[in-house]
Amino acid sequence: PIPSTQDSHTDQLILQMKVAAALLFLCISVASCFTPQTFTYKNVGNISIELDVYVPDNSPYTKYPVLFDIHGGGYCFGAKNEGSTSQELEESLSRGWVVVSIDYRLAPGAVLNEIVSDVQDAYAWVRTELVQKINIDPDNIIVFGQSAGGGLTAVAGFMLNPRPKALYAFYPGCTNFLAKFAFNPLAPLNQTIYQ
C-alpha cells in the first residue's frame, strides 16, 4: 500500500522530534561537563549576587586571560548560567581562558543604574578578589555579552575602570541610558532627563 500523506507527515514529525531530542541531550551533556565555582561578589540587603567561574584544565598562560560574560534577557530575565552557550564556553576553555559569568539584578525590580552598578562591582571583584583565588591576569579581561548583556558590554568601555582589554558585544540590546525610565521604572517612557 502507498503511505498516505498523513502517515509521511507523522513520520517526518517523529524524525524531527528524535533529532531535536538527540541535539538537546548533546547540549545538556556537553554543558554538564563544565562545573563552575560559584562566588558571591555583592550583597544587596538580603540578596546575594553571584558569579560562576570556569577554569580550564590546562592553559598555555602563566596567568589566565578572562572572558567576563554578561548574560542577556532584555534586562528583565536571564541568569549567569544562560550567558555563553556550551560551544562558546568549550572554545574559551580550550584556549586556556577563565570564564566568569555574572548575575545582576533584573528590571523591573532594579533600575538601569543598579544593573550597571552590579556589572561594575562584579568586574572590580574579579580584579581584586578573584585574582587572589585563581591566577588570572587582571589586565587581560575581555568583556562579552549577548542582547542586553551586549548592551552592557557596549557601555563597558567607559563604565569599567580600568578599561577591559577588549569588548565583544554580540547583537547588543541597547537602551537609552539617559532616559528617566532607566533610573525610575515608574516614569513615563516618553520623558527624558532633558525634559
Side-chain angles (χ1 to χ4, degrees):
I2 299 172
S4 70
T5 309
Q6 181 73 23
D7 290 342
S8 64
H9 181 68
T10 302
D11 290 344
Q12 190 178 26
L13 284 174
I14 290 171
L15 178 61
Q16 289 173 351
M17 289 172 56
K18 287 179 180 178
V19 168
L23 289 173
L24 179 62
F25 175 77
L26 177 63
C27 289
I28 291 170
S29 63
V30 169
S32 66
C33 294
F34 309 114
T35 305
Q37 298 174 51
T38 301
F39 299 96
T40 297
Y41 71 86
K42 180 178 184 175
N43 290 298
V44 179
N46 62 349
I47 299 170
S48 295
I49 307 175
E50 298 177 332
L51 53 77
D52 285 344
V53 178
Y54 299 86
V55 180
D57 291 331
N58 53 41
S59 177
Y61 305 101
T62 54
K63 289 185 172 187
Y64 296 114
V66 177
L67 181 71
F68 185 88
D69 184 18
I70 308 171
H71 71 79
Y75 306 98
C76 298
F77 56 93
K80 61 184 171 16
N81 61 342
E82 298 170 0
S84 293
T85 64
S86 58
Q87 189 175 19
E88 292 162 340
L89 185 58
E90 183 176 26
E91 178 65 27
S92 300
L93 293 172
S94 73
R95 291 174 181 265
W97 303 349
V98 163
V99 177
V100 175
S101 185
I102 71 165
D103 266 340
Y104 53 86
R105 289 172 287 170
L106 302 172
V111 292
L112 192 57
N113 60 335
E114 293 170 328
I115 295 170
V116 168
S117 170
D118 291 347
V119 174
Q120 291 170 317
D121 291 342
Y123 185 78
W125 188 92
V126 167
R127 291 185 46 80
T128 60
E129 300 297 322
L130 186 60
V131 73
Q132 296 176 33
K133 301 174 187 322
I134 298 171
N135 194 25
I136 64 164
D137 182 352
D139 296 319
N140 195 4
I141 299 176
I142 299 166
V143 177
F144 169 80
Q146 301 178 31
S147 189
L152 292 166
T153 297
V155 298
F158 68 84
M159 74 176 187
L160 298 179
N161 190 16
R163 304 276 190 260
K165 181 93 167 193
L167 304 172
Y168 180 42
F170 191 64
Y171 62 92
C174 296
T175 188
N176 179 354
F177 282 86
L178 299 177
K180 278 188 180 178
F181 75 88
F183 302 99
N184 179 359
L186 302 177
L189 293 180
N190 61 352
Q191 295 180 358
T192 69
I193 61 171
Y194 300 115
Q195 293 177 330

